């Protein structure tokens, strides 16, 4: 949902400019009474900015600096009454205030439209701002509330009643100028309000997608080794394979299953933390040696990794396996006086057609035969 403070800020500035501009016109044409009333309304919108933003910022600074009451009273007000009033404003719950401000903003438009339509007559364009409130009805209540349409219905009812019961003024020069000014600002309020609402919705959707992407990432990948989880791999690979096979993008496929056979003994003899470091380092070794392949590396179980390699012939994959075995023999992985022991199962097909389960089963048979 769009941030209320920002919406009220922009629209209050526009309404302040609208009221002040029309006040200047009436002042120039000698109607000081209406000009003064409009200046009061312009000040009304400045109070929105004061209460919602300036006081909020000051309050946050006071809280952050942890200024005592005595120091605050001395620095801000010598008058105890003014200090208590100021403190009361600062301690207002701003989450509620911003909602109240939204209603007060709408109330001012309705009251001023009724007042000026009956005192000056219909035709000065004050009624146009009631139309702008149609942009707000979405924000007045929750999106799916059954009462949400009461707001635009109420605006429409006020508009119709005022139109048929007020005097019509269409020939005055000042009326035309004021109507144009109010029309320009009314259109601006509608456009900017809708833009902010839509922008807020876009931001909400982007944030939602980012959260979902982050959640998918942390649920799809093994946090320790930064490789795929078993079941997320199967879900992802089935979706990707269906598209790839339709486009004839896959011809050969290989499955390599590697088990660190002595990982449990390492955990017992040293520490689980060291065993985790070995898993991380070994996963990095797999990724480093397969960086030129189209592959998926999966944490298949506690001490097993599965590597699914696409469109590489059997000789290339066997060379990859030999490289991993040599790396395991040379690298101590932080362990003194011992080396990790790995068992490797391998299966390959030159005519891949969804038989991933068969490839995995064949690779397991070769791995189990070594035990």
């Amino acid at each position: 949902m769009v941030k209320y403070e920002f919406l009220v800020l922009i629209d209050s500035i526009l309404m302040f400019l609208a009221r002040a501009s029309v006040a200047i016109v009436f002042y120039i044409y000698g109607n000081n009474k209406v000009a003064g009333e409009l200046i009061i309304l312009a000040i009304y919108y400045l109070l929105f900015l004061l209460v919602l933003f300036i006081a909020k910022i000051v309050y946050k600074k006071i809280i952050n600096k942890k200024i005592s009451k005595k120091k605050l009273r001395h620095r801000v007000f010598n008058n105890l009454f003014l200090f208590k009033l100021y403190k009361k404003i600062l301690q207002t719950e701003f989450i509620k205030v911003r909602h109240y401000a939204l209603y007060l903003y709408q109330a001012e438009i309705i009251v001023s439209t009724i007042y000026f339509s009956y005192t000056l007559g219909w035709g000065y364009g004050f009624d146009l701002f009631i139309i702008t409130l149609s942009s707000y009805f979405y924000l007045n209540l929750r999106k799916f509330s059954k009462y949400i349409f009461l707001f635009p219905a109420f605006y429409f009812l006020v508009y119709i009643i005022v139109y048929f019961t007020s005097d019509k003024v269409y020939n005055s020069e000042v009326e035309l100028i004021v109507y144009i000014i109010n029309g320009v600002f009314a259109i601006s309020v509608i456009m900017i309000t809708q833009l902010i609402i839509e922008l807020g919705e876009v931001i909400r959707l982007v944030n939602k997608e980012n959260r979902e992407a982050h959640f998918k990432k942390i649920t799809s990948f093994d946090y320790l080794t930064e490789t795929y989880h078993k079941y997320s791999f199967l879900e992802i690979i089935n979706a990707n394979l269906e598209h790839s096979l339709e486009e004839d993008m896959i011809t050969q496929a290989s499955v390599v299953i590697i088990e660190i056979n002595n990982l449990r003994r390492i955990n017992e003899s040293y520490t689980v933390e060291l065993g985790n470091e070995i898993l991380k380092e070994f996963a990095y070794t797999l990724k480093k040696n397969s960086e030129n392949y189209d592959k998926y590396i999966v944490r298949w179980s506690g001490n097993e990794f599965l590597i699914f390699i696409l469109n590489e012939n059997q000789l290339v994959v066997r060379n990859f396996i030999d490289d991993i075995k040599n790396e395991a023999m040379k690298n101590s992985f932080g362990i003194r006086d011992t080396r990790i022991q790995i068992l490797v199962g391998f299966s390959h097909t030159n005519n891949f057609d969804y038989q991933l389960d068969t490839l995995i089963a064949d690779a397991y048979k070769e791995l189990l035969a070594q035990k």
Side-chain angles (χ1 to χ4, degrees):
M1 184 65 71
V2 66
K3 194 172 179 63
Y4 281 91
E5 289 98 330
F6 185 64
L7 181 61
V8 174
L9 169 66
I10 299 299
D11 285 351
S12 295
I13 291 174
L14 288 174
M15 290 303 298
F16 165 76
L17 294 175
R19 300 306 192 213
S21 301
V22 172
I24 293 172
V25 173
F26 277 107
Y27 178 77
I28 293 173
Y29 279 85
N31 195 334
N32 295 335
K33 177 178 178 296
V34 175
E37 293 169 345
L38 288 165
I39 288 297
I40 292 173
L41 294 178
I43 295 172
Y44 174 87
Y45 284 105
L46 287 181
L47 292 177
F48 272 72
L49 308 181
L50 176 65
V51 173
L52 281 176
F53 300 98
I54 299 177
K56 183 178 181 180
I57 293 172
V58 172
Y59 178 70
K60 283 186 175 181
K61 287 184 177 180
I62 291 171
I63 295 300
N64 291 337
K65 291 183 179 180
K66 297 181 179 179
I67 300 175
S68 67
K69 294 181 180 179
K70 185 176 180 181
K71 288 183 179 181
L72 176 62
R73 185 171 62 201
H74 176 74
R75 293 183 184 182
V76 181
F77 294 117
N78 291 323
N79 186 288
L80 182 60
F81 171 76
L82 292 178
F83 166 73
K84 288 183 177 180
L85 178 63
Y86 179 74
K87 181 173 174 289
K88 186 69 175 178
I89 294 173
L90 293 181
Q91 290 180 340
T92 303
E93 190 176 345
F94 283 97
I95 294 177
K96 292 182 179 179
V97 168
R98 64 186 185 182
H99 290 278
Y100 295 149
L102 193 63
Y103 294 120
L104 289 173
Y105 170 90
Q106 298 170 80
E108 187 279 334
I109 290 177
I110 293 172
V111 171
S112 61
T113 296
I114 295 172
Y115 176 76
F116 289 116
S117 295
Y118 284 120
T119 57
L120 297 176
W122 184 278
Y124 286 89
F126 291 102
D127 55 284
L128 296 175
F129 290 103
I130 288 186
I131 300 175
T132 67
L133 297 182
S134 62
S135 303
Y136 276 87
F137 89 96
Y138 179 86
L139 303 176
N140 284 316
L141 291 169
R142 294 178 181 270
K143 183 176 180 181
F144 300 107
S145 171
K146 60 183 179 180
Y147 302 111
I148 192 169
F149 293 104
L150 291 179
F151 285 89
F154 174 71
Y155 305 148
F156 179 74
L157 180 63
V158 171
Y159 189 91
I160 293 298
I161 292 174
V162 173
Y163 176 78
F164 283 106
T165 58
S166 61
D167 296 329
K168 306 300 184 291
V169 180
Y170 297 118
N171 298 321
S172 170
E173 180 181 353
V174 65
E175 175 268 331
L176 178 61
I177 296 173
V178 171
Y179 188 89
I180 292 174
I181 293 173
N182 281 334
V184 169
F185 279 104
I187 293 172
S188 300
V189 168
I190 292 174
M191 293 179 63
I192 291 177
T193 299
Q194 288 298 322
L195 177 63
I196 293 173
I197 292 174
E198 293 299 326
L199 181 61
E201 187 68 14
V202 169
I203 293 173
R204 185 188 68 81
L205 291 174
V206 169
N207 289 338
K208 181 181 178 182
E209 290 178 358
N210 289 340
R211 287 194 300 269
E212 289 177 350
H214 176 68
F215 178 75
K216 185 175 181 180
K217 180 178 179 180
I218 62 176
T219 55
S220 298
F221 282 84
D222 177 62
Y223 176 78
L224 179 65
T225 61
E226 296 184 353
T227 58
Y228 284 104
H229 284 305
K230 176 178 180 178
Y231 295 106
S232 63
F233 159 73
L234 294 174
E235 181 179 346
I236 293 169
I237 201 65
N238 286 332
N240 290 347
L241 287 179
E242 183 174 354
H243 170 72
S244 299
L245 290 172
E246 287 176 356
E247 301 293 330
D248 295 327
M249 296 170 60
I250 299 177
T251 55
Q252 303 181 78
S254 302
V255 168
V256 179
I257 298 177
I258 303 177
E259 177 185 315
I260 303 178
N261 193 39
N262 59 338
L263 181 64
R264 181 175 180 179
R265 182 170 59 82
I266 291 172
N267 287 337
E268 293 173 349
S269 301
Y270 299 90
T271 61
V272 173
E273 287 75 16
L274 180 59
N276 289 339
E277 289 300 317
I278 290 173
L279 287 170
K280 289 169 62 176
E281 183 68 21
F282 189 73
Y284 172 76
T285 300
L286 294 176
K287 287 182 277 189
K288 180 182 68 174
N289 285 276
S290 63
E291 59 185 1
N292 295 323
Y293 306 149
D294 184 6
K295 85 290 183 181
Y296 294 85
I297 300 177
V298 187
R299 177 89 178 273
W300 199 246
S301 66
N303 63 339
E304 291 179 346
F305 290 90
L306 181 146
I307 306 93
F308 181 51
I309 301 176
L310 303 174
N311 295 326
E312 297 291 347
N313 62 49
Q314 187 171 349
L315 179 60
V316 170
V317 179
R318 288 199 178 277
N319 287 337
F320 162 74
I321 294 172
D322 291 339
D323 291 338
I324 297 300
K325 287 180 177 179
N326 292 333
E327 188 82 20
M329 292 176 62
K330 293 188 297 183
N331 193 338
S332 65
F333 293 96
I335 309 172
R336 293 183 179 180
D337 304 326
T338 188
R339 292 289 186 272
I340 66 170
Q341 300 169 5
I342 64 173
L343 303 176
V344 181
F346 168 67
S347 63
H348 178 85
T349 179
N350 291 315
N351 186 22
F352 185 75
D353 186 20
Y354 285 102
Q355 69 272 35
L356 180 59
D357 291 342
T358 302
L359 284 173
I360 294 174
D362 291 344
Y364 255 120
K365 287 180 183 178
E366 183 174 316
L367 185 146
L368 294 174
Q370 301 173 41
K371 291 187 175 182

